[in-house]
Amino acid sequence: MIFRAKANKALDRAEDPRETLDYSYQKQLELLQKVRRGVADVATSRKRLELQLNQLQQQSTKLEDQGRKALALGREDLAREALSRRAALQQQVTDLETQHATLQGEEEKLTLAAQRLQAKVDAFRTKKETIKATYTAAQAQTRIGEAFSGISEEMGDVGLAIQRAEDKTAQLQARAGAIDELLASGALDDQSGMHKDDIQAELDRLSGGTDVELELQRMKAELAGGSPQQAIEGGTGQGQSQQQPQDTPRFDKQ
């Protein structure tokens, strides 16, 4: 039972209704062909009986003529023999006529059956083509719907590939961000020598600020008409004078 159930399931998957309909139509055509051959065989037999009947009727007519001639010549015995043979032929003619009528009836029945079968085959052919077209359209519509919804096998594989690519991209982005943070905090050493620690970065910032102040003093001196060196020294002297205490004692000259 298990084997039959699995085999039935496998056959159901492999079965194509269009192929089944075409096979059924082919079988009906073969049956129709057999019926037509049967009609042809019956018609052939009927025709053979008709030929035999014609021959017997010709012989019967000939014996009747011979009987008349025998009576005309005074040969009653010959006339009696001719009529006896003619009577036997008439019995055969009667039997053949009965068989001919039977065959003719069978031929008419088979012809009518062939016509009805032909009509059924034509109707089945029209219905078959309609069902095949409907099945093909439904199959295409189903595949399109599965493709749009992503539940088909092909689109499912594409969806999984896209999801894996997005996951890997997010993972690489997260790893790159983490490495940048670790390099910035000094937790990791930059083997290329391009990265500096936080202390060196602060010293560079302070020295950069001093350079900016010196450049600013030079530009002021140029605008005031003095030399850049005096502006720098003046700026330095002012800075030093501001740093001296205000309560420095003075000495008067006498």
Side-chain angles (χ1 to χ4, degrees), residues 144-185:
I144 293 173
E146 290 178 350
F148 279 117
S149 60
I151 61 176
S152 63
E153 295 181 0
E154 295 81 2
M155 295 305 296
D157 295 338
V158 174
L160 291 176
I162 294 175
Q163 184 65 36
R164 288 196 300 269
E166 291 178 349
D167 293 341
K168 289 184 178 181
T169 302
Q171 183 179 0
L172 290 175
Q173 290 176 348
R175 184 176 180 85
I179 291 174
D180 290 340
E181 292 180 358
L182 292 175
L183 287 174
S185 63

Side-chain angles (χ1 to χ4, degrees), residues 97-122:
E97 287 178 349
T98 302
Q99 295 179 9
H100 180 270
T102 303
L103 287 177
Q104 191 172 6
E106 293 295 330
E107 182 181 355
E108 292 176 356
K109 290 180 181 179
L110 287 176
T111 303
L112 182 60
Q115 293 175 354
R116 292 178 178 177
L117 183 58
Q118 180 67 53
K120 289 183 178 180
V121 170
D122 293 339

